[in-house]
Amino acid sequence: MAAAVHSREERWTSMATEPEGLLRNIGQGDWKDLDWEDKTSSAVHIVDYLIEEAIRRRASDIHVEPQRDALLIRTRIDGSLRNLCLLPRSLQAPLISRIKVMAKMDIEKTRLPQDGRMQASFSKGKLDLRISVIPALYGEKAVLRLLDVYATSISLENMGCTHNTYEKLLSLIEKSQGIIFITGPMGSGKTATLYACLNRLKSENVNVITLEDPVEYEIEGVTQIAINEKIGPTFPETLRSVLGQNPDVIMVGEMGDRGTARIALQASLTGHLIFSTLHTNDSVSAITRLLDMGIPPYLIAASLSGVVAQRLVRVICPRCKEPYQPSLDEQIQLGIGPQEDIGPIYQGRGCSHCDRTGFYGRTGIFELFILDEDIRTLIHSGAPESLIREKAQANGMQSLRKDGLIKIREGKTTPKELLRVTTR
C-alpha cells in the first residue's frame, strides 16, 4: 500500500475480476477456475482490502497462510483466530511480494525470516503495522500485526481493574523508586499496561525514558530508544548510558537477561522508578524467574516493589447477552460451591454484532503482588514460592481467577472464558 486505502467502490471499479470473485468465504463456490489475469494488480487490491476489513472487524492480526491447494486468510479478533477467506494458491507469491514491498523487505530472500513495518492510511487516520514473514512448508507465511492507534492513550482507569486493585496499583506506581514488573504470556496486554502507567506519570517535571525492541508506539513527552540486539548497543549497554541522563522513570521493554535485570534492579535502589515485563504464569513466580536468571535474593528483596500479573478475557456481547446455568464441572473448577449463590451468570448467544461468537471486546483481570517487610524477609531467607504466595494472599492479594470471578458476577465475562485463560 503506497498511499491510502482506497474506497471499496474504487477498488471494484479498477479490477477486472468481479467483487464477488475476489474473496470467497470458505465452503462457498469454486474459486479455482477464476481468471486472475493480472496477479500483481490483484495482490495490491487484496492487501488493501484485507487491511481495511481487519480494521472494520477490530482485528489485531492478519495471517496469510499458504496451504497445499489454497491460500488461507485468517484474522485474530479479541485474541481468537477466525477464518476470513480462501484465495487461489497462484496468488501466494504476488501477495507475499506485495507485503514485502510495503514493509521494505528483500523480496528475493525467501528462505530466511524477515521483519518489517509499514504505515497505512484509512478513513479515520493512519495505522502502523508490524510485518513478519517466515518460510513454511508450502511457501512463505506472513503475519501483519495491526498496532492499536489508541494504545498510547489508554489509562489505568479503563483497563478493567477493580476499585481496590486500582487504588493499590496507583499507590505503587507513584513511588519515587523501586522496580515494578508486569507479567503474563504474549498477548495478555502487558504493553498496554506499561503505557497506561507511563501516561499516568509523564509530565513536564518528570524525565521518562524507555528502552524497547522495537518501539511499537510513539508516546508524546517520553524519550524512546529503539534497541537492536543484533547490531547493538544492547539493553545492558544502553541502560548504563541512560542512567547518565538523570531519568526519573525508566521503562525496559522486557527483562530478558541477567545483565539487564541486575543493572535495572540496582538502578531502582538509587532513586529511579523502573518498569519492565517478565513472562511468568502469575505474580509471585516473578521472584523465581529472577532467581533463575542469577539475581541474588537480597537484591530482589531490596529493590522489588511489586508485580502485576494479568490476562485478557473476552467481554460478553451486550446485544445478545442472556443468563445461563454453568455446569457443575465449571463451578467446581472455579471454586463455586453447589449451594453458593453468586447471582445470575451470563453468556452471549451470538449475533451479527459479535460475528456469532457471543463476545465483543476484551477486558483485563489482574493479580497485584505488593511486597511488605515480611515478604522481603521471606525472599531474603530463600523461602519457597508457595510460602511467599500464602503470605501475599494473607495480606490480601487476590488471584487472577478470583478477580475474574468478580467480572463474572458483574456480567462481563463467562466461566468458560475465565477457565480458558487462568490456571488458578
Side-chain angles (χ1 to χ4, degrees):
M1 184 179 304
V5 177
H6 308 296
S7 71
R8 192 164 297 172
E9 292 74 20
E10 289 174 333
R11 284 200 305 276
W12 298 148
T13 301
S14 64
M15 294 188 64
T17 307
E18 292 298 317
E20 60 268 18
L22 176 60
L23 297 173
R24 296 293 185 99
N25 289 333
I26 294 174
Q28 295 182 0
D30 185 3
W31 42 259
K32 295 181 181 179
D33 297 326
L34 290 176
D35 181 20
W36 300 86
E37 295 180 358
D38 186 350
K39 293 184 174 62
T40 301
S41 177
S42 297
V44 171
H45 294 297
I46 289 171
V47 174
D48 285 1
Y49 173 88
L50 292 177
I51 293 174
E52 184 176 312
E53 188 68 8
I55 294 170
R56 188 185 71 80
R57 291 171 176 252
R58 305 175 298 107
S60 60
D61 305 313
I62 304 169
H63 291 242
V64 182
E65 305 178 5
Q67 310 290 304
R68 182 188 296 274
D69 299 314
L71 190 63
L72 174 63
I73 310 296
R74 298 197 289 174
T75 54
R76 187 181 297 277
I77 303 172
D78 294 335
S80 178
L81 276 173
R82 304 179 197 173
N83 292 335
L84 177 62
C85 61
L86 281 173
L87 292 174
R89 182 74 169 79
S90 60
L91 281 173
Q92 187 263 338
L95 205 62
I96 294 296
S97 294
R98 173 58 182 166
I99 291 170
K100 284 183 172 181
V101 169
M102 292 161 58
K104 296 181 174 58
M105 296 179 182
D106 189 338
I107 62 173
E108 299 298 326
K109 290 183 179 179
T110 60
R111 296 186 179 182
L112 293 174
Q114 294 190 67
D115 295 299
R117 63 188 305 154
M118 60 161 288
Q119 189 175 80
S121 299
F122 65 109
S123 58
K124 294 183 180 180
K126 293 183 177 181
L127 181 73
D128 290 328
L129 293 92
R130 281 180 59 186
I131 318 293
S132 172
V133 176
I134 60 171
L137 180 61
Y138 296 112
E140 292 177 288
K141 171 183 175 178
V143 174
L144 290 70
R145 182 183 175 198
L146 286 66
L147 302 181
D148 187 358
V149 293
Y150 301 109
T152 57
S153 62
I154 193 170
S155 65
L156 291 175
E157 291 88 344
N158 58 22
M159 287 172 45
C161 295
T162 63
H163 178 73
N164 186 42
T165 300
Y166 170 76
E167 292 295 331
K168 289 181 178 179
L169 180 57
L170 208 57
S171 65
L172 187 66
I173 71 171
E174 290 180 346
K175 292 183 178 180
S176 60
Q177 67 180 60
I179 188 163
I180 300 168
F181 286 106
I182 315 296
T183 74
M186 289 186 64
S188 59
K190 298 188 298 296
T191 300
T193 301
L194 285 174
Y195 283 130
C197 292
L198 296 184
N199 280 328
R200 179 77 188 193
L201 295 174
K202 70 176 185 179
S203 73
E204 63 178 17
N205 303 315
V206 179
N207 181 13
V208 182
I209 301 179
T210 73
L211 286 68
E212 306 173 65
D213 180 17
V215 174
E216 293 189 359
Y217 310 97
E218 295 182 13
I219 316 173
E220 186 177 353
V222 173
T223 301
Q224 297 175 267
I225 302 173
I227 304 295
N228 189 326
E229 291 278 348
K230 294 180 181 178
I231 63 175
T234 62
F235 270 103
E237 293 168 341
T238 308
L239 186 53
R240 288 191 188 96
S241 299
V242 163
L243 294 175
Q245 296 279 317
N246 192 24
D248 300 295
V249 179
I250 303 172
M251 189 268 273
V252 181
E254 182 177 346
M255 206 63 69
D257 61 85
R258 178 185 178 182
T260 306
R262 192 172 189 112
I263 296 170
L265 269 68
Q266 288 173 339
S268 70
L269 298 175
T270 57
H272 303 90
L273 181 61
I274 315 284
F275 291 92
S276 190
T277 65
L278 284 172
H279 291 290
T280 63
N281 288 329
D282 58 34
S283 58
V284 181
S285 297
I287 296 169
T288 304
R289 175 76 179 106
L290 291 170
L291 291 171
D292 289 343
M293 292 169 67
I295 307 301
Y298 75 86
L299 185 55
I300 299 173
S303 59
L304 185 60
S305 297
V307 184
V308 180
Q310 68 177 77
R311 299 289 189 278
L312 292 176
V313 293
R314 291 180 293 176
V315 176
I316 300 169
C317 175
R319 297 191 184 180
C320 60
K321 186 176 179 179
E322 62 182 15
Y324 93 110
Q325 178 60 43
S327 68
L328 181 60
D329 183 55
E330 288 174 341
Q331 293 184 59
I332 292 172
Q333 290 186 65
L334 291 172
I336 302 172
Q339 307 302 322
E340 185 178 350
D341 181 19
I342 65 168
I345 294 178
Y346 296 90
Q347 66 177 1
R349 182 178 62 257
C351 64
S352 58
H353 180 64
C354 60
D355 201 16
R356 308 296 170 185
T357 64
F359 296 99
Y360 193 90
R362 291 190 291 177
T363 190
I365 58 173
F366 301 90
E367 176 181 281
L368 180 56
F369 172 42
I370 299 178
L371 280 71
D372 62 10
E373 289 306 314
D374 290 338
I375 290 177
R376 295 184 195 280
T377 300
L378 289 173
I379 295 171
H380 196 280
S381 64
E385 182 181 309
S386 58
L387 187 58
I388 297 173
R389 182 176 291 105
E390 287 177 10
K391 182 61 179 176
Q393 290 174 341
N395 289 347
M397 184 184 77
Q398 191 164 252
S399 70
L400 286 165
R401 186 160 286 181
K402 287 188 176 179
D403 190 52
L405 279 171
I406 295 174
K407 303 294 191 300
I408 291 174
R409 291 187 179 100
E410 293 174 344
K412 293 181 179 178
T413 194
T414 68
K416 287 182 181 179
E417 180 68 4
L418 180 58
L419 291 172
R420 183 182 70 86
V421 302
T422 62
T423 57
R424 59 167 172 242

